[in-house]
Amino acid sequence: MKVAKFGGSSVASAEQIKKVAAIITDDPAKKFIVVSAPGKRNKDDFKITDKLIEIANRHCQGEPYGHLTETIMMRFSEILDQLNLSSAIAEELHQTLEEALGSNEYDSPKVDIVKSLGEVFSAKVLSAYLTSIGLNATYTNPETAGIIVSDEPGNARVLEESFANLYALRKNSGIQIIPGFFGYTKAGKLVTFSRGGSDITGSIVAAGVKAELYENFTDVDSVFTVNPSIVYRPKQISTITYKEMRELSYAGFSVFHDEALIPAFNVGIPVCIKNTNNPEAPGTMIVAEKEPTEQCVVGIAGDGGFCSLYVSKYLMNRELGFGRKLLQIFEDEHISFEHAPSGIDDMSVVIRQNQFTAEKERIILQRIQDELNVDTIKIHRDLAMIMVVGEGMISTIGVAQKATKAITDANVNMVMINQGSSEVSMMFGIQEVDLNRAVQSLYKAFFE
Amino acid sequence: MKVAKFGGSSVASAEQIKKVAAIITDDPAKKFIVVSAPGKRNKDDFKITDKLIEIANRHCQGEPYGHLTETIMMRFSEILDQLNLSSAIAEELHQTLEEALGSNEYDSPKVDIVKSLGEVFSAKVLSAYLTSIGLNATYTNPETAGIIVSDEPGNARVLEESFANLYALRKNSGIQIIPGFFGYTKAGKLVTFSRGGSDITGSIVAAGVKAELYENFTDVDSVFTVNPSIVYRPKQISTITYKEMRELSYAGFSVFHDEALIPAFNVGIPVCIKNTNNPEAPGTMIVAEKEPTEQCVVGIAGDGGFCSLYVSKYLMNRELGFGRKLLQIFEDEHISFEHAPSGIDDMSVVIRQNQFTAEKERIILQRIQDELNVDTIKIHRDLAMIMVVGEGMISTIGVAQKATKAITDANVNMVMINQGSSEVSMMFGIQEVDLNRAVQSLYKAFFE
């Protein structure tokens, strides 16, 4: 038994929904289907969820939003029309939308209900279409499915009892179509996950029903070894471990919602990233463990927007508690640090730059001066972090040398190297402006 | 005006003391002389201070120590005899020793007084000898000199008022000979610095009298670029900064007592390491800043005896405070960490292995499990840390590549690389067994 999740582009149009139906028809093991809201049909198109959020915002501010409702209903109607389905689904949703917004502009709208309607529509349409072509398909609301979440609107967390509830769905016959992105609190209130949360729903369902595989259908053939916007047509990854995937996601690989891997990871269900537009392609398997191969580097990722705060103090390393106190100052200001490499009398704290407002900077510098009595403080901005990722690199001689050579060959200065703290990656800090050049050179060294 | 400090081997015998006298005679700027206790005359010899400590210990345990007193007095007498000086100095010290030990075995001995007698003897002998050859030399006790310290026996810290007291000594004429290793509390109690503390006295005196130079005479021509027991006749360092010296000292360079640099560093007095046995050699200058040179690596040091504790936890980097809490556990157990490199979902804490007793290990592992709920904990023992040190390496492209290539060429796996946290060094963690091979290969790459 498999769980398949189809992303926004897979349900963006009638044509795409037909592809999804063909994929489901071809594989009787796909018993649970999770869907996103209709996404973009082309680069200049809009996502349904974006429009829904805009409607909720405009309603709050007393601004007109009738034209947006119109746009959404037109898209829905077009899909239903081209699939030869009744327009009742669209009308039902229109009504739900109006109810959720409240009767007048001063009512506070039920934002999470509004946001969830794109997924609800996708799931209802797909189940109606599958039924129309002769399959035994049922729309299953997350409430019926038993997806119980915490009461944190826009950022729900799944509660443990959900998994047993979902397991009970196995006894139902036919194909069950579940809208992604939301669950219900114990009190029965609809609450959404963070954005991109349909991946989370899919993973929760896979873990709950104890699927043999969680297939995540998107619009690329696989996870690439490097960002295709930096390297032209890079190699594809056939198998990757959860850990490797996580390290790559961190530094700019946005194929998969970070948190979404957790439920599948916890129970060891493999995840397969596949392409709705090319389902024959084998895709990328994300697994707990893989056979060691000669190629120990699996991918290279890079991301900008980091800054580092450097402090030095003579005989720092004799001062018990120095590092802890420095990190405490950041924690007190609710800034999470990414890395904190330390030398003998030096320590750097690397953070995402967007957390470091002028006000936070002022407070933190002041506190470091007052409380830690350091000799030097320096801030380096606009840094990029590159991750060279691969299980097995820890025990392979020469990987670090190859990587540093590639970066040096690109004439890029390494501001920071952090190897060994992670068993599956090596991290290089460089200037943001050097990012593409360094990544291209690393790709060449490891994959060409 | 210069302060010169002569180490144990420089005052180990009459012959050596004559060399010291010649060095002082040759340079009228040397107005303040600090001396250690007589050290070893050859590899199999003993150090006076070791014998004094043994006497104190034996006295405490009610064991006989007369043979040790005998040995010391013989050494003292021999020196006095060969310098044609009166034996009165030896007799005076013998009496002080007996008084400090107390009248019977149950008295608690004044250990710090016992320990200080080697330095007191050296200073008295040298000043008597210089006088005997016609110089205006005076023995100056640290109490007279105004070296006021905290009441922490065996680990005293200098108090700020000492510097003004010392400055007042400038008005005295002639050469002032001060025993190293100890000072007096405000209440007039003799207290010693940590072992090797004559370097500290020298640095304090240099800072107090505002010397133009602090010369530290030892038995090597200079600081070497690498440990001569690992590389045969390595290159010498002509100029090095305080920061570079500190990084090298950390990982096995024991030329100079770490703490000793601080007083000189604070007021920017340059330190020169010279050889009593070859005073014509230029030695190594330790300075605040130096001209950038093409050779940006100044030295390579390595030391074993480290271990690392590795933890991983899925989505660790989203957990505000994780790193701080982990370090807090070590701090609570009074273990100071050396480095704490972190990955995305991983963090390692590198400590000196000797701090990690079986009991501490048990407590720490338990607390990490209980309080941090991690996925994995691993301990790696018997690691060595190599420091490649040099100001300017931070802005030189290719240094990391050269270093990683050298280590790879030696067929050594890098367990850890930490670059960028310190502005003057790059750190490599390897297996202890690979240390010499890796250091030799690095030396070849950077210095041959």
Side-chain angles (χ1 to χ4, degrees), chain A residues 246 262 317 324 331 345 404, chain B residues 246 317 324 331 345 404:
Chain A
R246 163 93 176 117
I262 306 175
N317 89 319
R324 196 262 311 152
E331 188 180 340
D345 291 344
T404 52
Chain B
R246 164 92 176 116
N317 87 321
R324 196 261 313 153
E331 189 180 338
D345 291 344
T404 53

Side-chain angles (χ1 to χ4, degrees), chain B residues 318-335:
Chain B
R318 299 215 178 166
E319 204 174 309
L320 188 64
F322 183 93
R324 196 261 313 153
K325 284 178 209 153
L326 180 60
L327 297 183
Q328 181 78 61
I329 292 174
F330 282 86
E331 189 180 338
D332 289 348
E333 295 305 320
H334 304 286
I335 291 181

